[in-house]
C-alpha cells in the first residue's frame, strides 16, 4: 500500500528491549478478540491476529466458508499459514501494511504490523475478499490440487465478498490506524508492567536491607551487652 505513511515503531518514544515481547502478555486476548470481531463485522472482511510465524493468536473473525473448507485440507492449511507468514514478513520489512494475492486460492489479503518498543511482535491480517475476480475454474482446479470437493468449493465461492481494490484499500487504511492504536496500547502496558516490576524489585531490596539492618543491630546489641558484663 504505497500511499500509507510509514509508522514510527518507537511511538511513544522508547528504547528497544533485549527481551522478547509477546502481544498476549501486553493485551488481554479476549479484549483483542472483541476488537477484531467488531472490526471484521463492520468492514465486511475476514480477520485474524497472528504471531510472526503465522500462528493464530486470536480466533478467526468473519471467515468465509470457502477458506474454512480450504483449512480442512492439510495442504490447504499449510499454504494459508505460509501466506500469513509471508504477508507478515513483508509488512515487517516495509513497516507498514501490505496487500498481496493470497498464496492459497488467489484472494487479496493484507497484513498490518503491530510494533511495540521497536519490536515487531504480531500481525493483524484481513482478507478473503474476491478483489481480483477469482473464478470457478480456478477454484475447481485448486480444490483438486489440495484434495477438497470441487462442487462444495464452487458453492462456497458464491458467498465470498466481492469488492474493488480501492474499496479493499480503504479498509486497509482503517486497519493501519487500528494496528497503530494496538501498538501504542501495548507500549503503555509494557511501560506499566516494567514500572510495577521495578517497584516490586525496589520493595524487595528494601525489605532485604531492613532485615540485614535488624541482624546487624541485633549483633551490635549482643556485643554491647557482652561488653557490659565483662
Amino acid at each position: 500500500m504505497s500511499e500509507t505513511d510509514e509508522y514510527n515503531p518507537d511511538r511513544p518514544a522508547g528504547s528497544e528491549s533485549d527481551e522478547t515481547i509477546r502481544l498476549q502478555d501486553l493485551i488481554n486476548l479476549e479484549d483483542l478478540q472483541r476488537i477484531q470481531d467488531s472490526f471484521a463485522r463492520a468492514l465486511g472482511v475476514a480477520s485474524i491476529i497472528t504471531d510472526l510465524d503465522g500462528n493464530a493468536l486470536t480466533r478467526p473473525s468473519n471467515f468465509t466458508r470457502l477458506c474454512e473448507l480450504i483449512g480442512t485440507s492439510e495442504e490447504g492449511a499449510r499454504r494459508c499459514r505460509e501466506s500469513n507468514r509471508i504477508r507478515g514478513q513483508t509488512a515487517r520489512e516495509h513497516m507498514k501494511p501490505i496487500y498481496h494475492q493470497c498464496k492459497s486460492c488467489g484472494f487479496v489479503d493484507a497484513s498490518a504490523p503491530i510494533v511495540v518498543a521497536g519490536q515487531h511482535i504480531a500481525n493483524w491480517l484481513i482478507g478473503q475478499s474476491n478483489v481480483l475476480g477469482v473464478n470457478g475454474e480456478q477454484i475447481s482446479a485448486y480444490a483438486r490440487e489440495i484434495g477438497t470437493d470441487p462442487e462444495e468449493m464452487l458453492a462456497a465461492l458464491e458467498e465470498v465478498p466481492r469488492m474493488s481494490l480501492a474499496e479493499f484499500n480503504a479498509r486497509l487504511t482503517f486497519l493501519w490506524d487500528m494496528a497503530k492504536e494496538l501498538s501504542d496500547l501495548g507500549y503503555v502496558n509494557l511501560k506499566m508492567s516494567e514500572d510495577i516490576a521495578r517497584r516490586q524489585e525496589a520493595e524487595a531490596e528494601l525489605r532485604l536491607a531492613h532485615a540485614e539492618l535488624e541482624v546487624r543491630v541485633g549483633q551490635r546489641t549482643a556485643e554491647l551487652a557482652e561488653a557490659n558484663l565483662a
Side-chain angles (χ1 to χ4, degrees), residues 114-183:
I114 297 173
V115 182
V116 175
Q119 287 191 33
H120 178 202
I121 62 172
N123 296 300
W124 192 341
L125 313 182
I126 63 171
Q128 298 183 21
S129 304
N130 197 356
V131 174
L132 301 179
V134 175
N135 58 42
E137 184 178 343
Q138 292 170 292
I139 288 298
S140 293
Y142 184 64
R144 290 189 291 270
E145 189 176 333
I146 64 173
T148 57
D149 182 359
E151 292 301 321
E152 192 172 6
M153 291 272 283
L154 282 172
L157 175 62
E158 297 303 314
E159 303 168 9
V160 176
R162 294 175 179 267
M163 65 182 69
S164 68
L165 187 56
E167 290 172 325
F168 186 81
N169 207 29
R171 288 162 171 77
L172 183 53
T173 298
F174 188 26
L175 173 70
W176 186 216
D177 290 337
M178 295 291 292
K180 287 186 286 188
E181 290 295 331
L182 283 186
S183 296

Side-chain angles (χ1 to χ4, degrees), residues 8-61:
N8 178 359
D10 290 322
R11 193 187 73 177
S15 59
E16 186 169 346
S17 172
D18 292 331
E19 298 181 0
T20 300
I21 302 171
R22 302 192 314 165
L23 181 63
Q24 59 266 43
D25 294 333
L26 301 178
I27 304 176
N28 182 276
L29 286 181
E30 288 306 311
D31 291 337
L32 281 176
Q33 189 70 53
R34 283 192 294 273
I35 294 170
Q36 175 190 288
D37 288 344
S38 297
F39 175 90
R41 284 194 301 268
L43 273 69
V45 293
S47 184
I48 196 167
I49 297 174
T50 73
D51 64 18
L52 302 187
D53 294 321
N55 301 309
L57 296 177
T58 55
R59 299 182 299 276
S61 299

